[in-house]
Amino acid sequence: MVDILLHLGQGFLTVFQPVNLLVLVIGLMLGLLVAVLPGLTLVMGVVLVLPFTYKLGITPAVILLTAMYVTGTYGGAFTAILFRIPGEPIDVPLLWDGYEMAKNGEPAKALGWTLFAALAGGLVAAVVMVALSEPVARFALTLSAPEYFSLVLFGLASVVCLGGGSQINAFVSLLIGLLIATVGVDGTYGADRFSFGFDTLRDGIEYLGVMVGAYGLGEVLSRLEKGFTSPTVQQIGRIETKLPSGAEIAQVKGTFARSSLLGIVVGIVPGAGATIASFLSYGVEAQYGRRRKEMGSGIAEGIVAPQAAATASVGGAMIPLLTMGIPGSGATAIILAAFLLQGIQPGAQVFVNQPGLIYAIFAAVFASLVGMVLIGYFAIKALVKVLDLKEAPVSAFVVMFCFIGALAQRNNLSDLWTIVAFGLLGYLFDKFEFPIAPMVLGAILGPLAESYFLTAMISTENNWTVFFTRPMSLALIALSVATVVFPLVRGWRERRA
Amino acid sequence: MLQVFAKTLPFAALLGAAVYLFTLTLHFDFPRAPDRLGPDVWPQAILVLLILTCAAGICRTLLADRRAKSGPGEGSTARAGEAGAAEPEVPSRYGLVAGGVLLFLAYPVALEHLGFLAATFGLMMLFMLIGQWRNIPGVIAVSAIGTLALFYIFRGVVYVSLPLGRGLFHDWTVWIASLLGMR
């Protein structure tokens, strides 16, 4: 415990070095900006900033992205509550009670509840993240290929089932992602897989190209189809934040505890992120909360539940990323990319070899939460002004950041074709209601899944039962099956009823 | 009928593609060993699952269509009510999307020949016009300032090697770079 606190103290010293602090503040501002602007999602924002990290060291690079990730779960609350414009899908549940509270004449109170929920949920998750990461990393060292394969399988099953919408469409999306990951010359046998004679494809398709194309260009095309008709703010009146009193907070402690815990758990599950945490937490509160019948009428529980869970999911999602190199959400997938671009594979070994880096990231999460509150409290009015920006020029810059990001990775013009192709695919996915997240996660986890699967099979001389005879692996496979089967059974029962 | 066709089309197209790709996996060139899994196993497993899922998707769409034809149930009535209460849908403008895609496709080619400055200025300007921003001086100003700012930040600060173009465009880009204090 003392060791952890000492390391954390050193982490804070690293974060408070001038360059890192500057990068942190920039990350906070950018995170709030992308969260406020309806045309930019959090994941897209983090993707667009990635090229700036190429020349930074690993520590400032990850601090920048982490700060964006933390504040990105909070910034959209302003516009959702004040103007009924959710900057992010995460903020949709805030429309139901946050906007209602504002309509009932208490916008400052609604913003205060959001601020409290984001800070408190984020801090609880950050403490859990610090406390659990080292033991999880030590435990991860004892796992072998079958367990890792089952863990990745569980992540893939989760992303299919937790995202909402059609499971068949989500599964198709995931399989396409896994297939994309197989393109190129195979590392073990040197077999040419699906490259069709193109040199670019022989090198494989970088998942960054998939992400930048599908999330960036695809989203821009989807919005272009609607003629860039974002809702506009008519006028910005008096905007302030009024924090809840101690007695008021005590009344929602149950909601707060449930939501924070749910946010952490959802964050840890690979494939699920802040949006799922936010919706799930609101749903749980609406079903089991003390004032469940009043949900949707502008009560504090309806604000605390989604916001606390969304911000708490950040700390949760960092645990599998840092301890096992498995991203828990879209944003952590990009943080993983930042690690890999700097030649570092996150995982248990990093805790042994570079504890300074890990604890600097932990400290950055705490510092981001505090910075988020300060900027959120004092700069709301300036932030919501960005909604006055025209969508066409903002999107033009988004497009440029996508192209430059793709180009900067390998200085190869053919990478631009990759992102255009995936931009078009992302647009078609959106059009035909196929979710993008499973494809992206499939492209990221595909090589890991294949590698763990083949390693397990080679080391056991093709004994398939190895996945079922090892307790941890069996438990994870059972969880994966339950994750897939449970929603199917529930849907079938609902149809029968 | 057209709606059913539109809904089954992506699944049918993917099914066809998956079958074709599966046939390709049968011809992967690698040294085969009798007791070892090759690099074809993993993609084959994915493709088999994809084929099955696409078939399930087609069946689901056809069954849903048959159920809908046999008469709307309570659920569909409720959904229709919900849809009616929703905000009016903004009409789709596929011409804009086609214009955007053409611009994206043209950009890598333009980048190679015209260099970063001219290609980016053109892309930004045309994209904003396609995006319905009709303030021409604003479009030109944002494109010009944006292009120079991006060039300065990424070439001068982040040190990304941005294409300089060919011939006159190369000379022009180098000249602008020197004006901005970059080598």
Side-chain angles (χ1 to χ4, degrees), chain A residues 48 51-55 84 149 166-169 171-172 175-176 178-179 182 186 188-194 196 217 220-222 224-229 390-393 395-397 399-401 403-405 407-408 411 413 416-417 420 424 427 431-432 434 446-447 449-450 453-454 457-458 461-462 464 495, chain B residues 6 9-11 14 20-22 24-25 28-31 35-43 46-47 49-50 53-54 56-57 60 67 87 89-94 96-97 99-101 104-105 107-109 111-112 116 120 123-124 127-128 130-133 142 146-147 150 153-154 157-163:
Chain A
L48 298 180
F52 289 100
T53 68
Y54 294 166
K55 300 293 173 183
R84 208 167 181 266
F149 173 75
S166 160
Q167 276 197 39
I168 289 183
N169 291 17
F171 199 47
V172 167
L175 291 169
I176 291 175
L178 290 172
L179 204 58
T182 65
D186 156 65
T188 313
Y189 293 87
D192 199 343
R193 302 194 295 193
F194 309 125
F196 304 101
L217 296 187
V220 166
L221 287 174
S222 295
L224 183 60
E225 186 193 317
K226 303 294 177 195
F228 288 142
T229 47
K390 294 277 178 200
E391 204 175 344
S395 297
F397 278 99
V399 169
M400 283 320 306
F401 277 112
F403 277 122
I404 297 172
L407 188 67
N411 275 328
L413 276 174
L416 302 191
W417 298 108
V420 173
L424 197 55
Y427 166 73
K431 196 78 203 146
F432 289 105
F434 287 86
E450 182 178 7
F453 174 73
L454 288 178
M457 295 310 287
I458 289 167
E461 294 175 342
N462 296 342
W464 294 80
R495 277 197 298 277
Chain B
L9 183 68
F11 290 112
L14 282 170
Y20 169 67
L21 291 175
F22 190 87
L24 291 186
T25 64
F28 281 167
D29 185 22
F30 66 96
D35 293 326
R36 260 191 111 172
L37 298 178
D40 52 347
V41 170
W42 183 251
I46 296 167
L47 287 164
L49 284 173
L50 188 57
T53 315
C54 288
R60 181 194 62 180
R67 270 203 296 269
E87 286 176 16
E89 182 104 337
V90 180
S92 295
R93 302 171 75 173
Y94 296 111
L96 299 184
V97 179
V101 172
F104 294 166
L105 288 171
Y107 184 66
V109 181
L111 204 56
E112 195 174 353
F116 181 81
T120 302
L123 173 78
M124 288 187 76
F127 187 80
M128 282 186 263
I130 288 174
Q132 311 286 295
W133 198 32
V142 170
T147 302
L150 291 170
I153 292 168
F154 283 99
V157 180
V158 189
Y159 298 118
V160 174
S161 171
L162 298 171

Side-chain angles (χ1 to χ4, degrees), chain B residues 125-170:
Chain B
M125 201 174 67
L126 291 172
F127 187 80
M128 282 186 263
L129 290 172
I130 288 174
Q132 311 286 295
W133 198 32
R134 296 290 182 242
N135 178 353
I136 303 296
V139 166
I140 294 172
V142 170
S143 307
I145 296 167
T147 302
L148 286 174
L150 291 170
F151 186 63
Y152 184 78
I153 292 168
F154 283 99
R155 193 178 156 85
V157 180
V158 189
Y159 298 118
V160 174
S161 171
L162 298 171
L164 300 174
R166 291 176 183 172
L168 274 176
F169 288 102
H170 177 273

